[in-house]
Amino acid sequence: MFDINTAIGHWPFRRLPRRSAGELRQYLHSYGVEGAAVASTPALFYMNSQDANLELAEEIAPHRDFFVGVATLNPGYAAAVRDLDACVEKLGFRALRLSPCYHNYNLADGTADALLARAGELGIPVLLPNEIVNYRQRHWMEPNQPLGMESVLAICARFPQVTFIGTEGGYSLSLTAPPNLCLEMSRYSSCYGQVLAGMVQKLGAERILFGSGAPFKEIEPSLLKLHHCQIPDAQKELIAGGNARRLLGL
């Protein structure tokens, strides 16, 4: 199995378990996960996100057989495109994460356009978290609403050359997803209600990725959703890790 949605580092609003690479690896491995894409939590808060990406690279260096780095960058920072190049070419990161809600911009205002264009040229996927923690239980200094799937669908249409991965929910089966949008499944509800099976039926198994949201969330709910999903085993294997490895070029 491969987990597309994990992070390490300190969270300023509550104490998280498993904040180090070693602790998170041990936790994921105990549930049969053999690799994970990991982003830096402090990168959401540092004035220069690249400093946090450098810390992440140092933290996962002894675990490069398990973790794949995800660059978190603020496109409002003047050196963001240069920093993305450094993350991919020097640090070996294989994806970009953008968080408009935490970095205070709108996907529609053009702030992220240059960074997204470069991600397309580099051939790396872009993760767009709908939220990091549930906004109904947020600290008062955190964003008061999620990103919203309308913003995600609009940016997918503007950058058809980029593969986007929507994480942490937001997608409804009533929406029409463009072909360059994939979805991580940790925040979708009910292992017995077959919500995941409905997503697979509509989008295709090759566009759904296993994610846990660790360490913000426990991994068991995601494992149960996949285990009880009434789809063929071959499709479960794609979701469990095949799709993520393909998109990350592993």
Side-chain angles (χ1 to χ4, degrees):
M1 297 188 69
F2 190 97
D3 193 333
I4 195 65
N5 181 25
T6 76
I8 56 175
H10 176 65
W11 183 252
F13 305 116
R14 66 180 171 93
R15 181 177 176 84
L16 291 175
R18 301 176 287 273
R19 295 186 298 276
S20 73
E23 291 170 324
L24 182 61
R25 176 176 183 166
Q26 183 178 19
Y27 172 72
L28 295 173
H29 188 263
S30 70
Y31 285 95
V33 176
E34 298 172 346
V38 64
S40 165
T41 296
L44 298 170
F45 304 100
Y46 281 10
M47 182 175 294
N48 180 3
S49 297
Q50 184 65 355
D51 288 342
N53 292 322
L54 294 172
E55 290 178 354
L56 175 65
E58 183 177 354
E59 175 73 14
I60 66 174
H63 306 277
R64 293 308 289 263
D65 60 324
F66 188 90
F67 285 118
V68 174
V70 176
T72 301
L73 291 168
N74 183 348
Y77 186 71
V81 173
R82 183 191 67 193
D83 290 340
L84 178 60
D85 286 343
C87 285
V88 173
E89 297 167 4
K90 296 181 180 180
L91 303 182
F93 288 11
R94 292 179 177 266
L96 168 67
R97 180 178 68 164
L98 296 181
S99 184
C101 294
Y102 280 86
H103 287 152
N104 196 30
Y105 65 92
N106 191 306
L107 284 174
D109 66 14
T111 301
D113 285 8
L115 199 55
L116 288 171
R118 185 57 180 152
E121 293 169 353
L122 292 169
I124 61 171
V126 176
L127 280 67
L128 293 175
N130 186 53
E131 49 191 343
I132 303 297
V133 296
N134 191 285
Y135 69 98
R136 295 171 298 179
Q137 301 170 333
R138 69 186 183 92
H139 185 276
W140 63 269
M141 294 178 68
E142 294 182 86
N144 62 3
Q145 60 184 0
L147 175 61
M149 190 51 60
E150 295 81 4
S151 296
V152 175
L153 297 179
I155 204 69
C156 287
R158 290 182 54 222
F159 288 88
Q161 75 277 23
V162 176
T163 297
F164 293 92
I165 302 173
T167 66
E168 299 294 338
Y171 180 78
S172 167
L173 289 175
S174 64
L175 298 172
T176 299
N180 59 328
L181 176 63
C182 299
L183 298 172
E184 176 266 329
M185 45 75 73
S186 68
R187 201 175 283 271
Y188 292 100
S189 61
S190 178
C191 58
Y192 297 112
Q194 297 304 310
V195 174
L196 181 57
M199 292 170 59
V200 171
Q201 183 177 11
K202 180 169 183 177
L203 300 179
E206 69 281 357
R207 294 169 63 187
I208 311 296
L209 289 78
F210 177 84
S212 68
F216 293 91
K217 304 197 298 289
E218 298 297 324
I219 194 174
E220 290 98 327
S222 291
L223 293 171
L224 286 171
K225 290 168 195 174
L226 185 58
H227 176 76
H228 290 288
C229 186
Q230 296 175 9
I231 58 175
D233 288 345
Q235 292 185 336
K236 287 186 178 182
E237 291 175 4
L238 288 176
I239 296 170
N243 294 332
R245 291 188 176 96
R246 170 177 51 83
L247 291 176
L248 296 172
L250 301 178

